[in-house]
Each structure stands twice: as C-alpha cells, then as structure tokens.
Amino acid sequence: MKKLARAAILIMTILSVCAFAACTGEKAYVFTDSVHLGSSLKAVVCCDKGTYEVFSKNAIKILDETDSEFNSQNPESFVYRFNKAKCGESVELSAVAKEAWTAAKAVYDLTEGAYDPTVKNYVDAWGFAQDANIVPDRPAPEPELLEALKEVSGTDKVEFTEKEGKAYLTKTACGVEYGGKTYGVKLDFGGLAKGFAVKKITDLCNELGITRGYVSYGSSSIYLLKNTKDADWDLKLTHPREDGTYYAVKASDIAASTSGDYERYYISGGKRFCHIIDGESGAPISNGVCSVTVIGCDPLIGDCLSTALCVRGEERIIEFANSDYAKANEIKVVAVFEKEDGLRVFSTADGEILSGKAYER
Amino acid sequence: MNVKFERVKNGKYFLKRDIILYAAIVLLLTGLFLGVFLTRENTALEKIEVYYKEKLIYSYDFLQKSAIITETGANYVETRTDGAETEVKITTPDGYNKVIIGDGYALVADADCFGKDCIRNSKRISGGGDAIFCLPHGIKILGVGEIGNEVTL
C-alpha cells in the first residue's frame, strides 16, 4: 500500500513537471506577409515551435491559393480568366472561386445589390484599380462612360450554373463600346479576398488546435481567438478622420470586418472620392458614411457586408443592425457618419446614434 | 493517542530517501519556475526589427539601447541620434522611409511612397507583435516583445 502511494505521488509529480514543461514550450509567434493581395497580413499565434512551422507553411499555401484565384493581374486566376472571357463564354469556377461567388451573391441578395462584385469597370474608371497609384485631383470619368458601363454591371449580367459536379460563370451581357474601347463584364473580388484568407487561416488555427492569437488582414478583416492570456482582446477601431481609435470592445472567438472611405481615397475639388463604389450610380459613395464595422460574421461574409452597408447609407445601416437577420446571427454593427456638425457614432450595443464626438470606451 | 503514534512510527511513511526525493522534486519545480519567469520578456517592447524585402536590415534593442545594422542594411541605413530620439533613414532603390525611435516606441515620420499608409493615422509600434508595413517600398517594421491585449482594426 505504501509503495503504491509513493508510486502514485511520483507519477503525479512527473506528470505535473511534464505538463509544466509542455506549457512553457508555447510562445506567441508573429507571422507576417506583405506579398499577397496587395496588402499586409499579420497573425499572432500561441503554440509550440513545431506547430508554428506547420502553421506558417500552410498559411503561405492559403495565401498563394487566394492570390492566384482572386488577383485580377494573374493570368492563371479565375478572375483574370473570367474578365478576359467573351460574351456568352463560360468559365469554370474552382472550389475557392465558387465559395467566394456564393458568398458575394448571398450578400448581393441580402443587401438588394449594395454589394456588387461586378463594379470593376467603375472601380478602374475612378482610378482605384488594384495596382493604381492613387493621385489627388484626378478628373472624374465622363458621365457618358459611367452610363455606358451600366450595360456591363450587375450580377444579372452573370449566370451561375452547375453541371456534372462543376460550377461555371457565364457572361450574359456583351461588351459595350465607348471612346474606341470595348468594356465587358468584369468581376472584382478585392472586397472579399482578405476576408476569405482570414477565414481559411482561422480554420487552419482550429485544425492545429491554436486557441490563442488573432489573424488580421490590412485594416479590413480580423479574426480574434483568445488573447495570449486566454481572455478577451481589446479590439479598437481606427478613427476614420483623426489619429488613433474611436471605439473599443472586448471580444474573442469572433470576426470583425471594417470598410470605410478613409483607406483608399483622394480629394478632388475639395471632395473626397473613395474606393467604395455604389453599383447603382457607378460612383464612389458620398452618403456621409465614413466607416462601418461588422462584428460576429463569418469573415468572408463580413468583408462583403461591411462594404455593402457603406453603400446603403445611414438609415439602412441602422435598419440592418436592428433586423431579425442581424439579431438571429448575433451580428453587431458599429458605424461612423459624417454630419455638418461633426461625426456621429452608431453601435448596435448602444442602439442609437451617440451625439458629440466619436468616443472611446 | 499512543497507539496511533506507534502505528505511524512503525509504518515509516517518511523514509529518509522519500524526503530526499520530495526535496529534489520541489527544487526541480522551483528551478523550472524561476528559470522561466526570470528570463521571460517582461517589457512591452524589447526590440524593433526593420526588414527590406523580407531581409533584416536594422534592429534596435531597447533593453541594451543598442542598434545593429546588418550587412544587407549597410547599403540602405543611415542613423542619427538627437537627444532621446534616434532617426533611422532607410533609402532603397524603391524610395525612402524615415523611422523615429523614441523611449519605448517607433514610428515612420516621413516617406516618399504613394498613399503614405505607413505614416497615416499615427501608426506606432509600442509593443511586441505591432507592425508597420510600407508595401510600395517593401519595408516592414516589427515590434519584438510581450504581446499586449490591444488589437486595432
């Protein structure tokens, strides 16, 4: 009996030492990438060295795959091949492209067309192409061009079909001529590519059993695991007009996506022109929405949704935040509106527009 | 009472070698604990590292208050110390970035890149895991040290 007790104590002690040693084998690794999708990714992951090596190898694979499917400059990408296709031509979607298209279409339907993946011609016309050097005082495109581009914009100009287990997108609208140039239907998945990558890398964390850290892409998409001390992160939102942040919330195991008029923009004639295009007018948004953050969505959907809400304007943002859909899916919205007398912040948590300056809490 | 005492004495629950073993275990655990906690990073920002196209060109150690310009960095990095601040000018074929290193922080004060994303919104490195990217110039500035609780989107 005595021997048994001693053996039990010894085994428990050895196990405790092993567990202690295993815990201290973990550290917070910082993974960065700035060669894909024209933006920068940062992931903080708490794990052991071996797990981090597997993580970084697979994260690069995910980024390669995402970039090669969504990069409109890459001749191998689905987006490039579709944009080059002729009227009536079908292009096969890879699994990645199908997932992206399905999410984009779902948000298009949910927001009555406010998120539109076919606005690429407008994006280019306003000088916000992926590789464009954004310059101030850029002349606006001719109104006649914007009118002509309506012929090749909208998801009704694209048909999705599935046949024998394969998915296809077909251009149903033919090109339109303007100024000696032919414009065809073009896709732009720039608005969701970062959310897609964040989602896939978060899935990778889950597969590897990484529970502490976060994955963020540029300043538009983030997934928060637990913080390094296994508690909530302090998530702060960038102020759209001033230095610093304007809102803070404690959060973990949740995604957040932000869109706004302050990341890619130029000032021309004293007016701000940003990269978020209203598919209906073909012009950058000018509805007073500075920033919309969606918290609690799948990162892929969230990326599309935050853009769509920017397009929809203040009234519809608040309507969405209070909708059954948002409540059922536990989606929180934080938005900043520019008024004549300053900025106003709306958040689902507060349920109303807060008066006065944007605030931090 | 006497009977119980006798039982314990006869049972010899604590032999001399048991005590030695337990003492050794306690010492081992204490050693491990102290080893980990005395050597852990306990300042918010210990070091910044500057990379050009993923190659380390410069690092500044806040604990030692010393800097290292790597062999690759020798072609691109110039430094100047003015009072409490060190100015690090990185000039590459892609353009220049002027980094200011102060007491526990680093930021990009000037650059000739388009968009100037690295300067906007007073981006500042003040903790481990903080990073500033200048994509047009291929520059990455990374904070090394304990990861804080704040994340900005």
Side-chain angles (χ1 to χ4, degrees):
Chain A
M1 191 66 189
K2 278 186 290 177
K3 280 184 180 171
L4 196 65
R6 279 212 295 263
I9 290 169
L10 193 63
I11 289 167
M12 281 173 68
T13 311
I14 291 168
L15 284 176
S16 304
V17 171
C18 290
F20 183 79
C23 288
T24 54
E26 285 199 349
K27 65 178 261 193
Y29 290 92
V30 181
F31 173 87
T32 61
D33 175 85
S34 53
V35 297
H36 296 91
L37 301 174
S39 189
S40 52
L41 174 128
K42 188 170 78 173
V44 170
V45 286
C46 297
C47 57
D48 59 65
K49 196 180 171 194
T51 306
Y52 177 69
E53 279 167 7
V54 177
F55 170 85
S56 54
K57 197 173 154 191
N58 285 288
I60 290 167
K61 262 190 203 171
I62 289 168
L63 292 169
D64 281 343
E65 189 180 31
T66 309
D67 194 75
S68 65
E69 282 299 327
F70 299 138
N71 190 341
S72 59
Q73 312 290 316
N74 182 348
E76 298 298 313
S77 77
F78 164 75
V79 172
Y80 182 93
R81 286 183 289 116
F82 181 85
N83 290 348
K84 289 284 176 192
K86 291 176 184 141
C87 175
E89 197 178 327
S90 297
V91 180
E92 188 184 337
L93 289 114
S94 63
V96 167
K98 184 182 168 187
E99 190 177 350
W101 173 257
T102 306
K105 186 68 171 61
V107 179
Y108 179 90
D109 293 340
L110 178 71
T111 59
E112 296 161 339
Y115 178 76
D116 187 348
T118 68
V119 294
K120 175 143 178 66
N121 283 308
Y122 294 130
V123 170
D124 292 350
W126 285 95
F128 293 109
Q130 191 181 322
D131 56 347
N133 184 358
I134 297 168
V135 288
D137 288 319
R138 195 181 189 284
E142 293 166 24
E144 294 80 9
L145 170 63
L146 298 179
E147 191 58 35
L149 292 178
K150 284 185 179 171
E151 296 293 320
V152 287
S153 304
T155 57
D156 57 326
K157 311 293 189 304
V158 179
E159 189 183 34
F160 175 81
T161 50
E162 282 185 285
K163 198 177 165 187
E164 294 167 359
K166 290 180 176 177
Y168 300 88
L169 276 189
T170 307
K171 285 187 184 182
T172 57
C174 293
V176 62
E177 300 278 340
Y178 186 84
K181 202 176 161 190
T182 306
Y183 295 86
V185 181
K186 281 186 179 175
L187 290 177
D188 181 5
F189 281 160
L192 59 74
K194 290 178 215 152
F196 183 90
V198 167
K199 180 183 175 167
K200 294 297 169 188
I201 293 174
T202 303
D203 289 346
L204 175 64
C205 288
N206 292 334
E207 280 166 30
L208 295 174
I210 297 168
T211 57
R212 292 174 294 141
Y214 65 84
V215 183
S216 75
Y217 221 132
S219 50
S220 71
S221 188
I222 193 165
Y223 192 96
L224 301 166
L225 301 164
K226 292 274 192 302
N227 75 5
T228 56
K229 296 175 183 71
D230 215 24
D232 286 340
W233 290 100
D234 291 323
L235 175 65
K236 295 194 167 188
L237 304 182
T238 300
H239 198 295
R241 292 291 183 270
E242 295 170 14
D243 286 347
T245 57
Y246 74 95
Y247 194 93
V249 62
K250 286 198 176 296
S252 59
D253 296 316
I254 205 163
S257 303
T258 291
S259 295
D261 67 355
Y262 56 97
E263 279 295 325
R264 301 190 78 206
Y265 72 95
Y266 55 82
I267 305 288
S268 184
K271 196 180 165 194
R272 178 185 290 255
F273 293 88
C274 74
H275 73 292
I276 301 172
I277 303 289
D278 180 349
E280 208 172 300
S281 66
I285 56 165
S286 57
N287 53 12
V289 177
C290 305
S291 166
V292 175
T293 299
V294 175
I295 303 170
C297 248
D298 169 289
L300 176 55
I301 298 284
D303 244 13
C304 307
L305 194 54
S306 58
T307 305
L309 292 176
C310 283
V311 172
R312 294 193 100 191
E314 179 181 331
E315 201 177 307
R316 307 295 294 276
I317 289 170
I318 296 169
E319 193 181 296
F320 174 82
N322 295 319
S323 68
D324 291 340
Y325 178 88
K327 282 176 189 161
N329 291 286
E330 296 182 21
I331 297 169
K332 309 283 183 214
V333 179
V334 185
V336 182
F337 309 120
E338 192 163 38
K339 304 279 189 185
E340 280 178 9
D341 58 345
L343 299 181
R344 296 285 183 273
V345 178
F346 166 82
S347 81
T348 304
D350 299 306
E352 60 182 17
I353 296 176
L354 299 164
S355 58
K357 274 187 75 174
Y359 70 108
E360 186 168 321
R361 61 177 189 182
Chain B
M1 281 295 280
N2 287 341
V3 175
K4 202 173 177 183
F5 177 75
E6 282 299 318
R7 270 190 201 153
V8 172
K9 199 176 177 184
N10 293 336
K12 294 182 180 173
Y13 282 114
F14 295 102
L15 294 173
K16 196 176 177 183
R17 63 171 180 268
D18 290 338
I19 294 166
I20 292 168
L21 176 68
Y22 296 143
I25 289 166
V26 168
L27 274 174
L28 181 69
L29 283 172
T30 312
L32 274 171
F33 184 83
L34 290 176
V36 169
F37 285 92
L38 291 181
T39 58
R40 71 195 279 258
E41 299 164 351
N42 53 9
T43 55
L45 184 60
E46 291 198 337
K47 197 159 83 164
I48 64 151
E49 294 176 340
V50 182
Y51 295 82
Y52 172 54
K53 296 192 171 165
E54 296 301 322
K55 281 189 180 157
L56 182 67
I57 56 170
Y58 175 87
S59 66
Y60 182 87
D61 190 320
F62 286 94
L63 302 176
Q64 307 288 331
K65 296 197 187 304
S66 64
I68 295 172
I69 300 171
T70 65
E71 207 177 315
T72 314
N75 299 319
Y76 309 124
V77 178
E78 284 172 74
T79 62
R80 191 164 59 91
T81 302
D82 184 12
E85 288 187 340
T86 299
E87 182 188 289
V88 182
K89 190 173 180 189
I90 303 151
T91 311
T92 69
D94 298 295
Y96 78 86
N97 296 71
K98 214 179 271 181
V99 180
I100 300 291
I101 300 169
D103 187 14
Y105 70 89
L107 54 86
V108 180
D110 190 20
D112 62 352
C113 53
F114 72 81
K116 300 202 189 312
D117 273 354
C118 52
I119 303 172
R120 263 193 309 131
N121 205 37
S122 290
K123 282 176 188 160
R124 170 184 278 247
I125 291 176
S126 54
D130 288 356
I132 297 175
F133 295 89
C134 178
L135 296 181
H137 290 176
I139 297 288
K140 175 174 79 178
I141 306 162
L142 195 61
V144 179
E146 194 178 350
I147 307 285
N149 266 358
E150 278 185 19
V151 185
T152 302
L153 181 63

